[in-house]
């Protein structure tokens, strides 16, 4: 076990992205000793490799990398953008990678930029330590590609792909009103390849190992490793690198999670009805966030707290998102206090929010809340049964930035 | 072959679209439009175009695809 920036780092199986992490940050020299040099590959090779190993983006959306590459035009690609905003409050994996293995991420981004003929690599980072590590790494390299690091604000929605692009262009870090694909109209409305930090580290590993070597661990459908962030009611929170398809129970045991419900995929994610027999793969594993709730806190009260935070994170641009999420916070509050009308109103409002905003924040928030109502059905009955709730206090196991909202 | 779309960053919930296009747009409890999502037939297109031009926030439009 190693602790970096207050984040415990451990590995199940063979470390790939985190190879050599136990000695701390990999500077240029240690990076080369550990990983070797990045081969120069063509765009066709990247596409073929990404397709053959079924590589998916390691942000929230889990979009296939090969499809994203195929959607880019033959020429005129403006930039490769590394999204390191990591705006899910619990996630630590991206800042960890940028802090410990900046050259691996840069190899992936620069290698792809060269293959695509893109003149710029832009890196959006929120965490200050991670940004410093990347800036130091850039000084150690000579890539012949312009690499820039930009700080992004720490709001949830600021991590959305188009919000990141807007911020990189010097605009506000909010999603624009039109849902356009960055591959078509990205940085300054020109074709752009944008993906999450871990995706680029995976591409760097894939370029070195080839599809056969890359596929020596993990699932057949989506081989390789993944970074997970685990938090909540666990003895050892932190970041874990595991083969894809690792059973959720294995990870929970490894981290010393208390028995109880588990949230997968962060605050836009879902509560699976049961954890046994589940394997961690995309899209359910999403950005790799696992939150254990334990059994001595009030689940609905916890969800209500998070709902309040989610509502506060709306960029305030779109009516149904602003009013809908505020209404849902109120609904969940009444439900927790035992008012049946709160439950009924929540059902209605959950139908009014998805798909009615400039970004997926209302959709993701509604998914999280709807899944909670389903999985915590027994708790809903206890709260609405007139017996004064489930009898457990709200301990704040689900972290909410800034504590109260 | 076209549908309506709303730019939610612009829409102020004036509700004018629901008055002009009662068959295509309803209003939610906060006064924001709920699209019925059906295709706009050739016959309805002129009315829809008029409503698009009437939206005070320039928020209503035909979907691109
Ligand atoms: S949907 Fe919500 S979070 Fe997204 S841009 Fe609109 S107001 Fe902001
Ligand atoms: S008329 Fe325009 S601003 Fe008013 S509700 Fe309709 S779309 Fe929104």
């Amino acid at each position: 076990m190693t602790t970096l920036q207050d984040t415990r780092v451990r590995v199940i199986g063979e470390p790939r992205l985190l190879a050599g992490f136990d000695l701390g940050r990999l500077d240029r020299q240690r990076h080369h000793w550990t990983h070797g040099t990045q081969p120069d590959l063509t765009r066709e090779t990247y596409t073929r490799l990404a397709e053959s190993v079924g590589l998916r983006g390691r942000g929230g959306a889990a979009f296939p990398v090969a499809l994203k590459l195929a959607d880019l035009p033959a020429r005129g690609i403006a930039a490769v953008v590394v999204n390191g905003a990591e705006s899910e409050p619990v996630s630590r994996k991206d800042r960890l990678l940028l802090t410990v293995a900046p050259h691996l991420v840069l190899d992936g981004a620069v290698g792809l930029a060269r293959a695509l003929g893109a003149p710029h690599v832009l890196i959006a980072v929120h965490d200050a330590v991670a940004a410093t590590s990347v800036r130091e790494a850039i000084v150690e390299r000579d890539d012949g590609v312009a690499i820039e690091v930009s700080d992004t604000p720490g709001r949830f929605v600021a991590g959305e792909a188009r919000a990141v692009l807007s911020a990189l262009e010097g605009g506000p870090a909010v999603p624009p009103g039109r849902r356009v694909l960055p591959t078509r109209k990205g940085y300054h409305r020109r074709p752009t390849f944008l993906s999450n930090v871990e995706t680029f580290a995976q591409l760097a590993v894939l370029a070195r190992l080839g599809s056969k070597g890359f596929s020596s661990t993990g699932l057949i459908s989506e081989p390789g490793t993944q970074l997970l962030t685990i938090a909540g009611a666990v003895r050892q929170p932190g970041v874990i690198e595991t083969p894809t398809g690792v059973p959720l129970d294995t990870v929970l045991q490894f981290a010393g999670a208390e028995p109880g419900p588990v949230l997968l995929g962060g605050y836009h994610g879902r509560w699976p009805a049961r954890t046994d027999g589940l394997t961690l793969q995309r899209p359910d594993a999403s950005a790799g966030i696992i939150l254990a709730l334990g059994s001595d806190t009030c689940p609905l009260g916890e969800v209500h707290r998070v709902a309040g935070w989610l509502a506060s994170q709306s960029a305030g641009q779109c009516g149904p998102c602003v009013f809908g999420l505020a209404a849902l916070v109120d609904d969940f509050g009444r439900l927790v206090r035992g008012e049946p009308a709160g439950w009924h109103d929540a059902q209605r409002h959950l139908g009014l929010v998805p798909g009615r905003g400039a970004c997926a924040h209302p959709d993701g928030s509604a998914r999280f809340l709807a899944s909670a109502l389903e999985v915590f059905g027994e708790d809903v009955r206890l709260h609405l049964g007139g017996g004064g709730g489930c009898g457990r206090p709200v301990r704040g196991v689900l972290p909410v930035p800034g504590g109260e909202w | 072959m076209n549908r309506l779309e709303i730019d939610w960053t612009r829409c102020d919930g004036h509700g004018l679209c629901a008055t002009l296009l009662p068959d295509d747009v309803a209003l939610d409890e906060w006064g924001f439009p709920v699209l019925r999502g059906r295709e706009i037939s050739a016959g309805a297109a002129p009315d829809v175009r008029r409503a698009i031009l009437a939206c005070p926030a320039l928020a209503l439009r035909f979907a691109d695809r």
Side-chain angles (χ1 to χ4, degrees):
Chain A
M1 203 272 304
T2 305
T3 304
L4 290 152
Q5 255 191 290
D6 304 329
T7 301
R8 279 169 203 259
V9 188
R10 299 196 300 163
V11 175
I12 296 179
E14 149 209 15
R16 277 194 184 166
L17 306 186
L18 297 180
F21 78 96
D22 33 352
L23 297 175
R25 180 179 181 274
L26 285 83
D27 61 13
R28 182 80 167 146
Q29 197 175 33
R30 261 204 340 112
H31 167 68
H32 277 156
W33 285 341
T34 308
H35 292 282
T37 48
Q38 167 91 3
D40 253 322
L41 305 181
T42 62
R43 172 177 179 164
E44 289 66 38
T45 311
Y46 272 112
T47 310
R48 188 173 44 74
L49 284 173
E51 187 171 9
S52 66
V53 303
L55 184 64
R56 286 169 180 270
R58 299 301 170 93
F63 194 77
V65 171
L67 290 183
K68 200 178 265 189
L69 287 169
D71 200 48
L72 287 166
R75 60 195 82 236
I77 295 157
V80 164
V81 176
V82 180
N83 184 355
E86 194 161 53
S87 47
E88 274 280 354
V90 173
S91 187
R92 290 291 175 273
K93 71 179 180 83
D94 291 334
R95 69 199 72 183
L96 176 81
L97 260 184
L98 290 171
T99 306
V100 182
H103 287 288
L104 196 64
V105 178
L106 287 171
D107 278 358
V110 169
L112 189 64
R114 285 229 191 86
L116 295 173
H120 293 289
V121 169
L122 304 164
I123 305 168
V125 192
H126 172 58
D127 183 74
V129 178
T132 305
S133 167
V134 180
R135 289 197 170 99
E136 282 173 8
I138 293 170
V139 178
E140 290 182 288
R141 311 167 57 100
D142 180 17
D143 289 305
V145 174
I147 312 178
E148 255 174 72
V149 182
S150 301
D151 302 298
T152 56
R155 292 177 66 86
F156 200 19
V157 175
E160 202 257 357
R162 292 164 310 133
V164 166
L165 287 170
S166 172
L168 288 175
E169 292 167 6
V174 295
R178 264 182 202 276
R179 292 203 177 204
V180 289
L181 292 171
T183 43
R184 305 284 174 83
K185 284 182 181 163
Y187 186 55
H188 290 297
R189 304 187 71 72
R190 290 181 51 210
T192 299
F193 183 94
L194 179 147
S195 196
N196 160 271
V197 167
E198 185 191 338
T199 316
F200 290 100
Q202 294 286 0
L203 276 172
V205 169
L206 177 59
R208 286 168 168 85
L209 295 182
S211 63
K212 200 153 167 250
F214 193 88
S215 306
S216 67
T217 188
L219 289 170
I220 292 175
S221 56
E222 191 202 353
T225 68
Q226 62 192 353
L227 294 183
L228 305 172
T229 309
I230 184 160
V234 297
R235 275 198 309 280
Q236 309 217 43
V239 174
I240 311 176
E241 181 169 11
T242 77
T244 53
V246 68
L248 175 56
D249 277 340
T250 305
V251 177
L252 293 174
Q253 261 179 28
F254 190 73
E258 287 172 29
V262 171
L263 175 65
L264 283 188
Y267 293 153
H268 279 174
R270 278 178 216 278
W271 301 88
R274 42 191 307 161
T275 58
D276 48 323
L278 261 190
T279 58
L280 288 172
Q281 52 187 307
R282 260 138 284 276
D284 295 340
S286 188
I289 300 160
I290 302 169
L291 268 165
L293 189 64
S295 49
D296 61 357
T297 187
C298 166
L300 293 171
E302 294 278 345
V303 168
H304 176 227
R305 263 183 94 234
V306 175
W309 181 78
L310 286 165
S312 78
Q313 293 299 300
S314 152
Q317 302 195 101
C318 314
C321 176
V322 174
F323 291 100
L325 293 184
L328 280 161
V329 176
D330 181 61
D331 300 340
F332 271 75
R334 286 181 293 147
L335 165 56
V336 170
R337 290 195 301 274
E339 297 174 32
W343 184 86
H344 286 286
D345 289 344
Q347 297 295 333
R348 188 177 74 254
H349 291 144
L350 283 171
L352 278 177
V353 166
R356 298 179 71 220
C359 76
H361 184 56
D363 310 52
S365 302
R367 180 164 55 232
F368 164 78
L369 295 172
S371 150
L373 286 187
E374 232 168 76
V375 168
F376 301 129
E378 190 47 43
D379 299 271
V380 170
R381 272 184 289 282
L382 284 175
H383 278 261
L384 298 184
C390 63
R392 289 168 290 184
V394 182
R395 297 190 186 276
V397 173
L398 300 182
V400 172
E404 277 309 303
W405 40 274
Chain B
M1 284 292 280
N2 221 333
R3 282 171 214 273
L4 273 176
E5 184 182 88
I6 288 166
D7 182 336
W8 291 108
T9 66
R10 291 172 179 254
C11 172
D12 291 328
H14 296 288
L16 192 57
C17 49
T19 312
L20 295 177
L21 302 169
D23 294 340
D24 293 287
V25 184
L27 292 182
D28 67 18
E29 57 197 79
W30 309 292
F32 287 90
V34 179
L35 299 179
R36 300 215 201 273
R38 55 170 203 176
E39 297 239 333
I40 307 294
S41 65
D47 282 347
V48 170
R49 215 164 282 130
R50 221 167 292 135
I52 288 175
L53 291 173
C55 167
L58 303 180
L60 201 60
R61 63 197 177 203
F62 280 119
D64 268 344
R65 274 157 294 166

